[in-house]
Amino acid sequence: MTLLAVERIKLFSTRSPYWCAALAIAMAVGFSALLAANAETVSVDLTQAGSRLALVVVLVLGALAVTTEYRFGTIRATFLAVPNRTSALVAKTAVVAVVAGVIGEVVAFGSWAMAKIVKPSADLAINSSAEWRNVAGVGLMFAIGAILAVAVGILVRQTAGAVAILLVWSMLLENLVGIIPKVGVKIQAWLPFMNADHFLAVNPPSQAESEAAGAVVYKLSQWGSLGYYAGIAVALLVVALIVAKRRDA
């Protein structure tokens, strides 16, 4: 508990969590308002269209939580105070993941509420389990994404490099893979952020419909996709912890 308290204090002693949280919420809620104002039909899943944009900001927050310490050398003091580097880094990861999860829930329900305010006539009741997963599940997606981002930050240790990797990976690379002839959509079915999107989908197409349209055919259920996404994040974190133990701070 002491380590968690220390990491919480360290995180919130900088401005990055406040700015990132504000930017993520503003982007997602603002995007939801624009969509609701201009769309003829507004559905629950449409209100969450800005969540992917907000996720990018949370990934940056996760990376900064680590790379800022390496940049200013405070990570050395941390490792001197806590010789067990794994415990210190796991505590940092846990704090960042919880903060990211809270931001995700605010983003999700804030976007839904904004759409309801902008278009009160729209049927935005959250009735089905799929709709609840689409909205409440954003917090889980953000928390897992933060774990992945912290892992990248530990491995790269430089802010510019870590942020560049996360932005290109989440916003560009996974989408570009789909244009590879024959195997592109097959590879996409096993990419982490694609599986995160699959988890949140309210009415995903069946495998037959996806095959007919030449789209991604996911091999896992929606909850299975969440587990796979989490597994990738945890595996990358384990690798990062092993590397951190073996090299100089």
Side-chain angles (χ1 to χ4, degrees), residues 65-179:
V66 179
T67 59
T68 301
E69 284 215 63
Y70 278 105
R71 178 185 176 188
F72 292 105
T74 55
I75 195 71
R76 296 188 183 93
T78 297
F79 289 158
L80 285 173
V82 186
N84 187 338
R85 296 184 178 186
T86 298
S87 297
L89 293 173
V90 168
K92 181 184 293 294
T93 304
V95 169
V96 175
V98 170
V99 171
V102 172
I103 293 173
E105 295 303 326
V106 174
V107 161
F109 285 97
S111 297
W112 173 83
M114 178 58 71
K116 187 66 176 175
I117 292 170
V118 172
K119 188 155 289 188
S121 60
D123 181 13
L124 294 177
I126 306 176
N127 296 317
S128 67
S129 59
E131 290 169 338
W132 273 108
R133 185 182 64 247
N134 177 257
V135 179
V138 172
L140 286 173
M141 183 178 73
F142 278 31
I144 295 169
I147 294 172
L148 190 150
V150 169
V152 172
I154 295 170
L155 289 169
V156 178
R157 299 199 293 185
Q158 295 181 344
T159 299
V163 170
I165 289 170
L166 291 166
L167 293 184
V168 171
W169 181 2
S170 62
M171 297 184 68
L172 187 63
L173 184 60
E174 291 199 356
N175 291 319
L176 287 179
V177 167
I179 67 176

Side-chain angles (χ1 to χ4, degrees), residues 11 16-17 20 23 53-68 96 145-146 149-150 153 159 162-164 166-167 170-171:
L11 178 64
S16 57
C20 288
L23 181 59
L53 293 174
L55 174 62
V56 174
V57 181
V58 169
L59 294 177
V60 173
L61 170 61
L64 287 175
V66 179
T67 59
T68 301
V96 175
V150 169
T159 299
V163 170
L166 291 166
L167 293 184
S170 62
M171 297 184 68

